[in-house]
Amino acid sequence: MKITAIALAGGKSSRMGSDKALLEIKGETLLSRTSHIALLVADSVYIVARSQQQYQHLTTNHLKSIHLVVDKKLDGALMGFWQGIQAIANSPPDWLLLLACDLPNIQSDILQTWASQLDNLPQTAIAYLPHHVESDSNQSPKQWEPLCGFYRWQCQASLAEVIEKGERSFQKWLDTQEVVEIPYVPLDMLFNCNTPHDFLKAVQSKSQSSSLL
């Protein structure tokens, strides 16, 4: 089974106030950690970003396994995913591992476990994703976590259709598709850093984990 990873680093980081992909925990940026963990599951990683200069060091150090896809007019996560798919269209994998750049608690062993389960999914399923229940009653009771999971390569057909219609919402696209829920996902695995408070919490968590070793 061939798996290729796509890491999204093209967000504006407006709530963080600085590029969260380049925030460091224990001397390693969030994007670098995400890319290195992805390589333990996938054969290569394609980083989708708005510019090249900030992330060039990653591709320099891993010339054959980490690639940079630049889109200066990147329009949201769904389009970032699409740009990544386009970049690997000449060598399509069986599955895509899609990750946000700001997931400080992702674990390679859990991702590998999920990957080992892909062969058991129905052929009609286009994705294998976690989900969470929104506390806001105005929201759908099932909200997929689209930026920490696997997508079958064939998902590109329906994705192309919704993008052509102007859709930019992951949730609305996934609601029209067959998606299999990943069971028993650790809640901290899905924690992401959107604000300085989130990042401080992640740093403190890592420090506490180290002190227990």
Side-chain angles (χ1 to χ4, degrees), residues 34-84:
T34 297
S35 300
H36 294 156
I37 287 179
L39 282 177
L40 298 175
V41 181
D43 63 305
S44 58
V45 179
Y46 285 74
I47 298 171
V48 182
R50 291 177 182 272
S51 62
Q52 180 173 351
Q53 183 176 359
Q54 299 98 314
Y55 315 115
Q56 189 62 52
H57 66 284
L58 281 173
T59 58
T60 301
N61 295 335
H62 301 80
L63 291 176
K64 294 183 178 180
S65 53
I66 297 182
H67 313 272
L68 191 60
V69 181
V70 177
D71 183 354
K72 295 181 179 179
K73 298 181 179 180
L74 195 60
D75 183 20
L78 192 69
M79 286 303 297
F81 184 34
W82 179 244
Q83 293 297 336

Side-chain angles (χ1 to χ4, degrees), residues 111-196:
L111 291 178
Q112 289 168 338
T113 296
W114 295 354
S116 71
Q117 298 164 350
L118 295 175
D119 274 340
N120 299 325
L121 301 185
Q123 289 295 319
T124 49
I126 63 104
Y128 191 43
L129 301 173
H131 88 277
H132 67 275
V133 177
E134 292 282 357
S135 58
D136 186 346
S137 61
N138 293 325
Q139 297 291 327
S140 169
K142 176 173 286 190
Q143 292 287 304
W144 296 109
E145 294 283 359
L147 306 186
C148 186
F150 292 87
Y151 295 80
R152 198 184 298 275
W153 174 252
Q154 287 76 8
C155 77
Q156 64 165 320
S158 64
L159 181 56
E161 291 180 2
V162 299
I163 287 177
E164 180 66 24
K165 295 176 181 178
E167 183 59 69
R168 296 296 183 267
S169 167
F170 255 111
Q171 300 296 338
K172 290 182 180 179
W173 170 50
L174 293 172
D175 283 345
T176 67
Q177 304 299 311
E178 182 177 350
V179 180
V180 176
E181 177 188 340
I182 301 176
Y184 312 117
V185 178
L187 290 179
D188 63 342
M189 179 93 163
L190 305 178
F191 176 79
N192 61 341
C193 295
N194 287 318
T195 66

